Amino acid sequence: MDLSPLISIIIVNYNGADVILDCLRSIYERCSSVTFEVIVIDNASSDGSLGQIHQEFPQVSLLTQDTNLGFGKANNIGVRYAQGEFLFFLNSDTLIPTDILLSLLTKLTQSSDVGIVGPRLLNTDGSFQLSVSKEISILGEFQTLQQVRRYRDQATRKSLSQLYSHDQFVDIVVGAAMFMRRSLFQQVGGFDETFFMYLEESDLCKRVRDLGYTILYTSDISLIHIGGYSVAKASETMAKEYRRSQRYYYKKHRPVWEQWLLAAYLSCKSWYTNYAR
């Protein structure tokens, strides 16, 4: 009899002692509809979270790294050890309110065209959290920025949440919760490890769509996402990392004229920040 888990839940941890234990508890306390394993890749945490995970959750496959490898590379390492036919990439600052694994599996396998499923993300108070974005491009980033502004404005957030109150195909789902077949992940070559943090999920979604698959956002399945936990600890460094990832993404996927336009915009913004005060 095959005892291999059907789903491999893969979590990257970096100094997440305040959140990852609650995340793991929510998984083990609420998920039982299908067989699963949990793989945690620790990116050289120094906050004691490594020992806490090992002590409270000896059943977790804990892969320790000597340095912070970044989000994409760490996930790729996790996939190499994964036994499941399906992969659930999950942030350490998420909570599973109900057993969602079978529902995710059903959404993904309802059509052979679906490549990635992204569930509806909620804030800790249960309110709607924006968890999709447009294609990364000059126009797409402008459209996404407009959505972010609508989300931040309480007067328009409700109408925005109604736009995402039903299942729909989107360009990108955020990397906090992504469900897909392991075979497809391997087919596209996994996460591009040139991205240390930011846009790696956008790049993965792009390459999946380029193969003819769709990205499904589902409002029927929800989980809580605290959001920005690791990033908040080094916001200035991560702001620079975002720009590096953005330039690389445009070089990889966008036409030359958009690369030039982005470079001009960033140069003007840097000049204004440094000299026009």
Side-chain angles (χ1 to χ4, degrees):
M1 183 174 65
D2 185 8
L3 298 178
S4 298
L6 186 61
I7 296 173
S8 296
I9 303 174
I10 300 176
I11 304 171
V12 177
N13 177 58
Y14 177 64
N15 291 335
D18 293 342
V19 291
I20 192 168
L21 296 179
D22 286 336
C23 174
L24 293 172
R25 291 181 192 120
S26 72
I27 294 170
Y28 284 107
E29 290 174 4
R30 299 186 176 103
C31 295
S32 60
S33 56
V34 298
T35 57
F36 68 89
E37 65 175 346
V38 177
I39 300 172
V40 173
I41 307 91
D42 185 79
N43 267 343
S45 295
S46 57
D47 64 345
S49 55
L50 185 63
Q52 293 174 333
I53 295 169
H54 180 74
Q55 180 177 0
E56 185 169 346
F57 299 98
Q59 68 270 50
V60 167
S61 297
L62 192 52
L63 309 177
T64 60
Q65 311 305 311
D66 294 331
T67 59
N68 186 353
L69 302 177
F71 182 80
K73 188 171 184 177
N75 273 309
N76 286 344
I77 290 173
V79 173
R80 292 185 202 128
Y81 286 85
Q83 301 180 61
E85 181 181 352
F86 301 91
L87 306 174
F88 189 18
F89 297 104
L90 197 62
N91 271 20
S92 62
D93 59 350
T94 56
L95 297 170
I96 308 295
T98 59
D99 187 351
I100 63 174
L101 296 184
L102 181 58
S103 297
L104 285 169
L105 186 63
T106 300
K107 290 288 184 180
L108 182 66
T109 57
Q110 66 185 356
S111 171
S112 59
D113 293 335
V114 177
I116 297 176
V117 174
R120 181 182 181 92
L121 300 185
L122 304 174
N123 296 308
T124 53
D125 62 0
S127 62
F128 165 78
Q129 184 177 120
L130 186 61
S131 58
V132 304
S133 63
K134 302 293 185 180
E135 171 60 272
I136 303 299
S137 66
I138 298 297
L139 175 60
E141 290 200 89
F142 174 77
Q143 293 172 327
T144 296
L145 180 60
Q146 295 302 107
Q147 284 201 330
V148 170
R149 286 173 176 166
R150 289 181 64 187
Y151 174 76
R152 290 176 176 171
D153 186 344
Q154 292 295 333
T156 56
R157 180 180 294 188
K158 184 176 180 180
S159 63
L160 180 64
S161 69
Q162 290 174 345
L163 289 177
Y164 294 103
S165 61
H166 62 278
D167 287 14
Q168 57 194 278
F169 298 121
V170 298
D171 293 334
I172 298 164
V173 291
V174 302
M178 302 174 69
F179 190 78
M180 65 186 301
R181 294 175 179 83
R182 183 173 63 170
S183 59
L184 178 57
F185 183 82
Q186 293 171 332
Q187 182 182 352
V188 299
F191 284 105
D192 183 338
E193 297 179 3
T194 304
F195 296 99
F196 179 81
M197 180 173 286
Y198 292 119
L199 303 186
E200 58 275 276
E201 76 268 47
S202 303
D203 172 74
L204 181 67
C205 288
K206 166 68 173 170
R207 288 183 284 123
V208 166
R209 287 189 287 110
D210 285 347
L211 288 178
Y213 293 92
T214 57
I215 311 299
L216 177 65
Y217 164 83
T218 176
S219 61
D220 294 340
I221 306 169
S222 300
L223 56 83
I224 295 169
H225 179 220
I226 298 172
Y229 183 79
S230 297
V231 175
K233 295 188 173 185
S235 57
E236 183 176 346
T237 300
M238 290 299 99
K240 294 179 181 178
E241 185 59 35
Y242 177 82
R243 291 305 183 191
R244 189 191 73 83
S245 294
Q246 186 184 33
R247 291 187 184 95
Y248 175 64
Y249 187 99
Y250 273 70
K251 182 179 180 180
K252 182 177 181 180
H253 294 297
R254 305 308 304 170
V256 172
W257 72 266
E258 284 199 38
Q259 298 175 41
W260 289 345
L261 192 57
L262 175 66
Y265 165 75
L266 294 180
S267 295
C268 290
K269 185 174 183 179
S270 177
W271 178 88
Y272 181 82
T273 301
N274 294 325
Y275 300 106
R277 293 179 179 177

